[in-house]
Amino acid sequence: MAGGHMVQGANTMDDCIIEQNWDGYSAEEHGIWRTLFERQEKVLKGNVCQEYLDGLDALGITADEIPNFDRMNEELSKRTGWEVIPVPGLIPSRPFFDMLANRKFPSGNFIRKKDELDYLEEPDIFHDVFGHVPLLTNPAYADYMHAYGKAGDDAITHKGVKYLARLNWWTIEFGMIIKDGQPKIYGAGIASSFAETKYAASSPSPNFIKFDLERCLRTGYYIDDLQSSYFVIDSFEKLFEEAVERPFVPLYEQFNTMPDLNPFDFVDSDIILKKGDKEYWKDFPNTKTKLK
Ligand code: HBI
Ligand code: FE
């Protein structure tokens, strides 16, 4: 998730970490979790990758209540060494990357209000835990997230955060994976969003383009609307291999001298898996924000 205000002035991991205070959640807040969970469970069925569902199961994440991080981490750390750490919201890039580089996933400890079920600025516990955490039980995806975090330090030093944020967007947030010839959901921004799940799963509008690392590093995105294109990986193992097989810094230096790409117009190197009819985007640019 991007957008929203950062935790001001925090620069080390410890500055950003707070208590989850699980006992402090009200019945109403557990009720909002249940509403969101049951709504997503219905629309994700048949449209999300099996690895995601296996993760929900493995961690005992259900509609019944907001997950308790200590309990969830006992199982998660046994499987892939990851643990979920409560933070108050978006945190600055440096502690964000440092946490991922230490297999710590920062999750908001708050849940959205009833009147903001469908869009909120800051990643809340439903976006972070329901969206991101289940796949951290999958070893290949967990290794990818770790490699992604470790790339952060160089990105900050070499003006590459903009590119890493795009890679985050097109994989961790809005990535799709091919299963039996069909694109299935794995990105947290889709899995935790009612509208985007239905749209990615069944709208004729979006393009589906084969994942390519350089294409994703160079392709900007809009934070305030559904995607016009999705990038589709073959497997989490291949995504991890692409992320670690060569250094990113030379790519940042090369891309800094080249124009950004956008998610609407194809480029020659694109392997198009499915060309959308762009119906949803016919009056582009209908977005209020600029390409990031
Ligand atoms: N902070 N809590 C939180 N969650 C995020 O996903 C996050 C963040 N800070 C920075 C950030 N993401 C992005 O800038 C990175 O993806 C580059
Ligand atoms: Fe997110």
Side-chain angles (χ1 to χ4, degrees):
M1 289 287 279
H5 65 279
M6 293 274 193
V7 175
Q8 295 311 330
N11 252 325
T12 66
M13 284 194 278
D14 294 348
D15 294 343
C16 305
I17 297 173
I18 57 173
E19 289 300 316
Q20 180 184 12
N21 184 20
W22 188 80
D23 297 324
Y25 293 124
S26 66
E28 192 198 6
E29 286 171 330
H30 285 294
I32 292 170
W33 171 275
R34 169 185 290 282
T35 303
L36 290 164
F37 188 104
E38 288 176 341
R39 204 172 64 160
Q40 282 314 101
E41 196 175 31
K42 286 196 192 80
V43 289
L44 283 172
K45 210 170 193 62
N47 299 314
V48 71
C49 65
Q50 188 57 42
E51 293 90 336
Y52 170 87
L53 298 173
D54 295 347
L56 273 185
D57 262 359
L59 298 178
I61 299 174
T62 67
D64 296 348
E65 57 185 22
I66 294 173
N68 177 304
F69 288 3
D70 292 339
R71 267 185 250 137
M72 200 166 56
N73 287 338
E74 268 166 44
E75 187 55 37
L76 180 60
S77 53
K78 265 191 278 183
R79 286 168 180 266
T80 57
W82 277 86
E83 53 175 350
V84 184
I85 306 290
V87 294
L90 284 174
I91 60 177
S93 291
R94 181 169 294 285
F96 175 70
F97 289 122
D98 287 352
M99 288 181 83
L100 298 188
N102 287 281
R103 294 202 175 226
K104 294 179 188 314
F105 186 82
S107 165
N109 71 336
F110 65 96
I111 193 157
R112 65 194 75 177
K113 299 282 172 281
K114 259 210 297 283
D115 63 0
E116 50 182 11
L117 286 192
D118 286 310
Y119 183 77
L120 71 164
E121 274 292 293
E122 299 258 328
D124 72 339
I125 192 164
F126 186 76
H127 168 83
D128 281 327
V129 172
F130 183 86
H132 284 282
V133 172
L135 277 174
L136 288 175
T137 59
N138 175 276
Y141 180 85
D143 288 348
Y144 170 67
M145 282 294 280
H146 190 206
Y148 178 85
K150 287 192 283 189
D153 214 22
D154 272 350
I156 293 172
T157 314
H158 297 276
K159 294 197 204 48
V161 174
K162 151 172 130 172
Y163 300 109
L164 269 198
R166 290 169 175 175
L167 183 60
N168 174 66
W169 190 269
W170 298 118
T171 57
I172 298 161
E173 293 298 352
F174 292 97
M176 300 286 279
I177 181 168
I178 205 83
K179 293 286 183 187
D180 303 323
Q182 289 302 320
K184 297 290 179 194
I185 294 163
Y186 78 87
I190 312 174
S192 60
S193 158
F194 188 56
E196 191 110 25
T197 294
K198 289 187 293 179
Y199 170 82
S202 42
S203 165
S205 289
N207 304 311
F208 289 87
I209 304 170
K210 194 168 168 45
F211 173 81
D212 173 85
L213 181 80
E214 294 194 22
R215 171 52 152 139
C216 287
L217 289 169
R218 294 186 61 200
T219 300
Y221 56 90
Y222 296 98
I223 63 164
D224 66 336
D225 213 332
L226 303 173
Q227 312 318 307
S228 55
S229 293
Y230 293 102
F231 292 94
V232 189
I233 62 173
D234 291 333
S235 70
F236 297 124
E237 288 76 8
K238 269 191 78 180
L239 176 61
F240 171 70
E241 280 151 29
E242 288 224 29
V244 296
E245 67 192 2
R246 56 189 163 158
F248 283 0
V249 172
L251 296 176
Y252 303 150
E253 285 155 1
Q254 185 191 342
F255 298 158
N256 268 324
T257 65
M258 297 161 81
D260 290 329
L261 301 178
N262 72 59
F264 297 99
D265 306 317
F266 293 121
V267 294
D268 295 345
S269 60
D270 281 344
I271 297 173
I272 302 165
L273 303 175
K274 179 172 164 269
K275 200 168 180 313
D277 68 11
K278 296 193 180 180
E279 173 55 25
Y280 180 82
W281 291 85
K282 62 186 180 308
D283 54 352
F284 170 76
N286 59 355
T287 70
K288 301 172 282 304
T289 61
K290 64 176 182 44
L291 203 64
K292 291 193 59 135

